[in-house]
Amino acid sequence: MIGELGHFSLIWLVVSSTLSSLHYAWTKYLTAKNGFRGEPILSFNWIARVNAFLATLALLLLMLLFIQDQFQYHYVATHSNLALPNYFKIAAVWGGHQGSMLFWVFTLSAWSALISCTRHARSRLIQDVLWVMTIFVAVFGWFTLLSSNPFEFSPVMVEQGRDLNPMLQDIGLIVHPPLLYLGYIGFSTVFAFAFAALLNPSYNEQWAELCLPWAISAWLFLTLGILLGSWWAYNELGWGGWWFWDPVENASLLPWLTGTALLHALVAVRREKQMQLWALSLALITFCLSILGTFIVRSGILTSVHAFAVDPDKGIVLLLILAIALLVGFVLLLHRSDKIKSGWISSLLSRSYLVLLALGGLSVATLTVLLGTFYPMVYQLLGFGQISVGAPYFNTLFVPLALLMLILLGMVPFIKWQGGTQLSWVRISALCVVAMSAGVALYWYQVDSMYSEVAVFWALGAWVVVGHCVAGVRLKRCSFMLFAHVGITIGCVGAMMNAHHSYEVNHKMSPGTSVQMSGWQIEYQDTNWYVGSNYTAQQAALMFRRGGQSFQLFPERRHYPVRVMNMSEPAIHSVWNGDFYVTLGPAVSSGAYAMKIQFRAYIGWIWLGACLMIAGAIGRLTIRRRVEERLRVIKQA
């Protein structure tokens, strides 16, 4: 009964969103044909809220099926198990293809309902936005219902489920995919705002002002999702890395890069009425790249440890949705381009020009990732053989781009929007020399051997941080820009230090043996065995000693009997400048194991940089809401 009710909710959602979308489109056509300038009779505010209720009900009922071990449903039987803890059963709801597509529909409906609750919800622009969002709900709802239905019955009755993939049995899975989806699908709101603005007979620049908080929200969730995904890979996969340039990792990076460019373009539109076409184009492209990311994960066309499914038919449908959205959006943009007027950039020495350079740099970075991700596939499809594009390609091209972006970030606090500088060039030059010298000195103080490219990152990083802090003191406030730019800088420095100053030892170890690593004495004390909820584990106990310092680490090697899989569970000890990271490998002889002991330099700085960006976005949204509430109170008084 629970599953049937969830299935009925999904059907109702799909039918209602389809009929309401068609009715609204028909009334818009009639009003345009008859020259009537009034509002369409249908209001999408309540439709969006009802759709959100139905999607939430379907998702909660699917969650209940997992908690109650209803293995008569195929999706539950293939992604759960009696011994699986309840919190992993909840996470399994979006751990596979069918559940993740239902979560996609739920998130689309939730974003629509939130937009319908804003104070501009009755305006023509917002109604058009909700119409576009409802079309997306209908399209992805039909896709879920017809080809990815999580409420289908299993063809064979089973008493025990297949279990959740052991790689996904981590706390990161509970929060990482939902946050990533909130970011991906959050950019559908940006697409809808741009599309609605282009539909309006008289192009209205107000769309950028109304769209900005939704763009920041989507960017916030996507950043948080990428951060937690990176943290999950670092803590769960056992290889000690935080970014592998994996196709699915790249799929999330693509909309993040264009989303970051979009935020800058929207600010330029709002403040200076500039870069209108940039903003509209990036709004359309960013959501299409989000669909592209889903295509990569679902189609199996590219090999990845993160891929959920290997069904090319499902991937083709997603690719078709992407192509239609991109084609219709840009045809409309080209049709209306003559009515879109942007302000001119009056000076090359202006913040507007720096924003334009940033848009260009982020676009080049996006094309770099896009080419590196899909070039091997295209090369193979053309019959030229197989080719691999790995980390060296991306690192080689991204390092100079990152340096260019840091140079631009260092100039931002001192350049005005219309041209000119906040301080005299003498003061700016003196501040630059002092900051960069301090950065290089800090780097030299911490390491035994210096790398020139890392020293450059430290110098530019110090220049960016000092410049933004000086700007914050002068303005007596901490802005989103300050947090985001400083966060990116700290993350870049941490990534360079992690790449050049990490080290490791690989050794065969058994109880009673020890190894040396950079002055640390590491002793293998004992091997313990224990039984978990749905696995058995071997656990090694290692003691680290140097001078008066000591700590213990307990890496594990787990066996999941249902999936018949072995997984390494690394042990991590964090210090301010890095992590001690130990991975227990397979047994190489009686009582002896392959042991990988690493020091991952400055890994925490990467997490800190991302957290600063997230904090800045949260602060920006919170401050904006308070300002709007105060303005509302003033108007009412």
Side-chain angles (χ1 to χ4, degrees):
M1 182 62 184
I2 295 174
E4 288 83 348
L5 182 58
H7 196 186
F8 176 72
S9 299
L10 181 58
I11 293 172
W12 187 1
L13 167 70
V14 171
V15 173
S16 68
S17 57
T18 302
L19 294 178
S20 58
S21 299
L22 292 175
H23 175 72
Y24 191 83
W26 179 248
T27 55
K28 282 183 68 68
Y29 168 74
L30 290 180
T31 55
K33 181 180 179 180
N34 299 326
F36 177 62
R37 297 184 177 276
E39 303 294 332
I41 298 173
L42 181 65
S43 172
F44 267 97
N45 293 340
W46 283 106
I47 292 173
R49 296 165 198 174
V50 170
N51 285 347
F53 170 77
L54 293 171
T56 304
L57 180 62
L59 189 69
L60 290 176
L61 291 174
L62 180 62
M63 197 176 295
L64 193 58
L65 293 179
F66 272 88
I67 294 174
Q68 293 182 351
D69 299 315
Q70 299 289 327
F71 296 133
Q72 68 268 31
Y73 293 93
H74 179 70
Y75 182 64
V76 179
T78 53
H79 291 85
S80 186
N81 187 270
L82 289 172
L84 194 67
N86 280 337
Y87 48 86
F88 284 141
K89 289 179 180 178
I90 294 173
V93 170
W94 48 76
H97 171 69
Q98 293 92 329
S100 62
M101 291 313 301
L102 179 61
F103 192 86
W104 181 285
V105 174
F106 158 76
T107 310
L108 272 171
S109 304
W111 281 111
S112 301
L114 288 174
I115 293 175
S116 73
C117 295
T118 60
R119 63 190 179 94
H120 298 284
R122 295 185 179 275
S123 68
R124 178 67 174 270
L125 177 65
I126 298 299
Q127 290 299 302
D128 286 345
V129 168
L130 292 175
W131 172 56
V132 176
M133 294 290 291
T134 305
I135 292 175
F136 281 131
V137 171
V139 169
F140 284 98
W142 279 113
F143 174 67
T144 304
L145 187 63
L146 297 178
S147 67
S148 307
N149 193 345
F151 297 104
E152 286 184 349
F153 285 101
S154 178
V156 180
M157 289 296 295
V158 295
E159 296 181 358
Q160 178 67 286
R162 193 183 172 204
D163 202 5
L164 182 64
N165 188 331
M167 283 195 302
L168 304 179
Q169 294 185 31
D170 184 84
I171 188 66
L173 176 71
I174 299 176
V175 291
H176 161 58
L179 290 170
L180 204 62
Y181 278 140
L182 285 169
Y184 274 167
I185 304 165
F187 282 117
S188 67
T189 63
V190 178
F191 182 101
F193 270 100
F195 200 89
L198 292 171
L199 283 176
N200 199 313
S202 58
Y203 174 76
N204 189 355
E205 297 169 352
Q206 187 189 16
W207 81 272
E209 177 72 24
L210 296 176
C211 177
L212 185 58
W214 302 103
I216 294 175
S217 300
W219 183 89
L220 163 65
F221 284 117
L222 184 58
T223 304
L224 189 53
I226 293 173
L227 168 63
L228 289 174
S230 178
W231 178 85
W232 169 79
Y234 176 74
N235 284 271
E236 182 67 18
L237 297 183
W239 57 286
W242 61 279
W243 196 264
F244 193 61
W245 295 108
D246 180 274
V248 174
E249 293 176 348
N250 294 346
S252 63
L253 182 62
L254 287 169
W256 187 88
L257 289 170
T258 56
T260 303
L262 173 63
L263 293 181
H264 290 80
L266 288 174
V267 171
V269 172
R270 184 175 63 88
R271 288 184 60 98
E272 305 296 329
K273 303 296 184 288
Q274 298 170 342
M275 306 179 199
Q276 304 267 10
L277 290 176
W278 269 101
L280 290 165
S281 301
L282 288 168
L284 300 176
I285 289 172
T286 301
F287 180 58
C288 291
L289 288 176
S290 297
I291 302 177
L292 180 65
T294 309
F295 161 74
I296 292 174
V297 177
R298 301 298 180 276
S299 65
I301 197 167
L302 295 174
T303 303
S304 168
V305 69
H306 305 279
F308 283 116
V310 287
D311 190 341
D313 293 335
K314 293 181 175 63
I316 293 301
V317 174
L318 290 170
L319 200 59
L320 182 62
I321 296 172
L322 182 155
I324 294 173
L326 196 63
L327 179 63
V328 173
F330 272 94
V331 167
L332 185 58
L333 177 61
L334 291 173
H335 177 67
R336 300 299 307 281
S337 60
D338 58 332
K339 295 184 179 180
I340 302 171
K341 307 300 181 183
S342 293
W344 290 93
I345 297 177
S346 57
S347 171
L348 296 182
L349 189 63
S350 64
R351 190 174 294 186
S352 297
Y353 188 67
L354 292 182
V355 170
L356 183 62
L357 291 177
L359 298 183
L362 289 167
S363 299
V364 171
T366 302
L367 291 174
T368 300
V369 177
L370 196 65
L371 179 64
T373 303
F374 286 95
Y375 179 72
M377 179 192 69
V378 175
Y379 191 86
Q380 185 176 358
L381 289 175
L382 294 176
F384 296 143
Q386 293 187 345
I387 191 172
S388 176
V389 175
Y393 159 81
F394 293 103
N395 294 337
T396 301
L397 293 177
F398 257 77
V399 168
L401 284 174
L403 287 174
L404 175 62
M405 297 306 290
L406 288 179
I407 293 173
L408 294 179
L409 291 181
M411 294 300 299
V412 165
F414 304 106
I415 304 298
K416 297 179 181 179
W417 276 98
Q418 296 294 341
T421 59
Q422 303 280 4
L423 300 175
S424 67
W425 279 110
V426 174
R427 292 185 179 181
I428 294 174
S429 301
L431 194 62
C432 178
V433 171
V434 172
M436 295 180 73
S437 300
V440 174
L442 283 172
Y443 175 50
W444 174 78
Y445 177 76
Q446 296 173 62
V447 298
D448 297 327
S449 57
M450 296 179 63
Y451 295 89
S452 57
E453 60 267 35
V454 184
V456 172
F457 269 86
W458 271 96
L460 291 176
W463 162 234
V464 173
V465 173
V466 170
H468 280 73
C469 289
V470 168
V473 171
R474 292 183 72 249
L475 296 175
K476 297 181 180 180
R477 64 184 178 90
C478 294
S479 64
F480 173 33
M481 179 193 75
L482 189 153
F483 276 97
H485 290 178
V486 171
I488 289 174
T489 303
I490 292 175
C492 287
V493 172
M496 291 299 293
M497 291 293 289
N498 185 261
H500 288 81
H501 291 282
S502 298
Y503 50 87
E504 66 179 59
V505 295
N506 294 277
H507 210 276
K508 171 185 173 182
M509 297 187 72
S510 58
T513 61
S514 63
V515 296
Q516 293 279 342
M517 186 183 77
S518 188
W520 286 89
Q521 177 77 16
I522 306 166
E523 180 187 354
Y524 191 148
Q525 294 181 321
D526 197 8
T527 303
N528 303 311
W529 295 76
Y530 73 93
V531 179
S533 58
N534 61 333
Y535 62 88
T536 59
Q538 304 160 257
Q539 185 185 75
L542 282 79
M543 176 63 76
F544 286 65
R545 292 189 179 92
R546 187 176 71 176
Q549 299 177 330
S550 65
F551 59 89
Q552 273 188 308
L553 288 178
F554 301 95
E556 298 179 4
R557 187 164 180 81
R558 297 177 177 178
H559 176 69
Y560 293 83
V562 177
R563 286 271 182 165
V564 195
M565 287 182 64
N566 294 317
M567 287 288 298
S568 293
E569 192 74 14
I572 302 171
H573 176 76
S574 299
V575 292
W576 74 271
N577 63 337
D579 285 354
F580 291 92
Y581 189 103
V582 182
T583 307
L584 179 65
V588 293
S589 62
S590 179
Y593 298 88
M595 195 77 68
K596 177 184 283 189
I597 306 171
Q598 306 175 69
F599 180 76
R600 307 304 304 175
Y602 283 74
I603 189 73
W605 285 44
I606 300 170
W607 317 139
L608 174 61
C611 288
L612 285 176
M613 289 188 279
I614 292 165
I618 294 174
R620 175 68 174 80
L621 293 172
T622 304
I623 292 171
R624 181 187 179 91
R625 185 171 181 178
R626 288 178 180 175
V627 170
E628 288 182 348
E629 288 178 353
R630 289 177 183 174
L631 290 174
R632 193 179 302 119
V633 171
I634 292 172
K635 288 181 179 179
Q636 291 175 353

